[in-house]
């Protein structure tokens, strides 16, 4: 194994741990996550959120396992891309807005007040997934 492949696997692992930490936090507080998502006001149908929240949590958990295992780079790109684009859209529509009921279940990505720093972190996560996929297919 060459040095770059080892570095790539370590990067996959680190990203996987980040997503695992966030998904496990959301699994512990699904109701708070639901309330926080409702407060973001991107999706106003509460019934739809009841379906979306478990799907988002499951996708994030699956993504973390795929990233840690490093065996399905295309699947990690697709799931990671969808999740991060969704969160980036949430942030863009709510930039500089303060939340009363934010559960903190977005991990370090989204604090109680959504700022451009939050957008930068999510964009960096998205770009990291895309870049490691690009490197993976070229090796």
């Amino acid at each position: 194994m060459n040095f770059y492949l080892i570095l790539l696997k370590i990067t996959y692992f680190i990203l996987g741990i980040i997503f695992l930490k966030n998904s496990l936090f959301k699994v512990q507080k699904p109701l708070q996550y639901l309330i926080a998502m409702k407060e973001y006001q991107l999706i106003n149908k509460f019934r739809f959120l009841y379906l979306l929240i478990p799907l988002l949590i499951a996708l994030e958990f699956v993504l973390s396992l795929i990233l840690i295992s490093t065996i399905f780079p295309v699947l990690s790109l697709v799931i990671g891309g969808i999740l991060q684009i969704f969160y980036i859209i949430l942030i863009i529509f709510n930039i500089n807005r303060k939340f009363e009921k934010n559960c903190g279940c977005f991990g370090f990505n989204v604090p109680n007040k959504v700022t451009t720093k939050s957008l930068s972190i999510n964009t960096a996560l998205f770009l990291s997934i895309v870049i490691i996929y690009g490197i993976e297919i070229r090796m």
Side-chain angles (χ1 to χ4, degrees), residues 8 13 15 29 35 41 43 54-56 63 66 70 79 87-88 103 117 139:
L8 182 68
F13 184 77
L15 279 173
K29 298 184 178 192
I35 292 168
Q41 297 178 348
I43 301 166
L55 178 67
L56 288 173
L63 174 64
I66 292 169
T70 71
I79 294 173
Y87 289 134
I88 288 169
C103 61
K117 179 182 176 186
M139 292 187 89

Side-chain angles (χ1 to χ4, degrees), residues 13-64:
F13 184 77
I14 291 170
L15 279 173
I17 294 298
I18 290 169
F19 281 101
L20 181 63
K21 177 193 154 291
N22 287 341
S23 68
L24 290 178
F25 190 81
K26 291 171 189 166
V27 165
Q28 292 173 352
K29 298 184 178 192
L31 183 59
Q32 290 88 344
Y33 183 51
L34 175 74
I35 292 168
M37 288 295 285
K38 177 74 172 148
E39 195 171 359
Y40 277 92
Q41 297 178 348
L42 187 63
I43 301 166
N44 292 326
K45 302 254 188 237
F46 210 63
R47 287 185 181 179
F48 182 70
L49 280 174
Y50 274 116
L51 298 172
L52 183 65
I53 297 306
L55 178 67
L56 288 173
I57 294 171
L59 281 175
E60 196 162 336
F61 184 73
V62 168
L63 174 64
S64 69

Side-chain angles (χ1 to χ4, degrees), residues 119-129:
L119 180 62
S120 301
I121 291 170
N122 278 278
T123 303
L125 285 171
F126 174 70
L127 290 175
S128 298
I129 292 169

Side-chain angles (χ1 to χ4, degrees), residues 62-81:
V62 168
L63 174 64
S64 69
L65 296 179
I66 292 169
L67 286 168
I68 290 169
S69 69
T70 71
I71 55 176
F72 298 112
V74 174
L75 195 55
S76 69
L77 173 71
V78 171
I79 294 173

Side-chain angles (χ1 to χ4, degrees), residues 99-128:
F99 294 96
E100 299 298 319
K101 299 175 185 171
N102 193 340
C103 61
C105 40
F106 291 102
F108 62 87
N109 312 28
V110 182
N112 287 340
K113 183 175 180 185
V114 180
T115 63
T116 53
K117 179 182 176 186
S118 312
L119 180 62
S120 301
I121 291 170
N122 278 278
T123 303
L125 285 171
F126 174 70
L127 290 175
S128 298

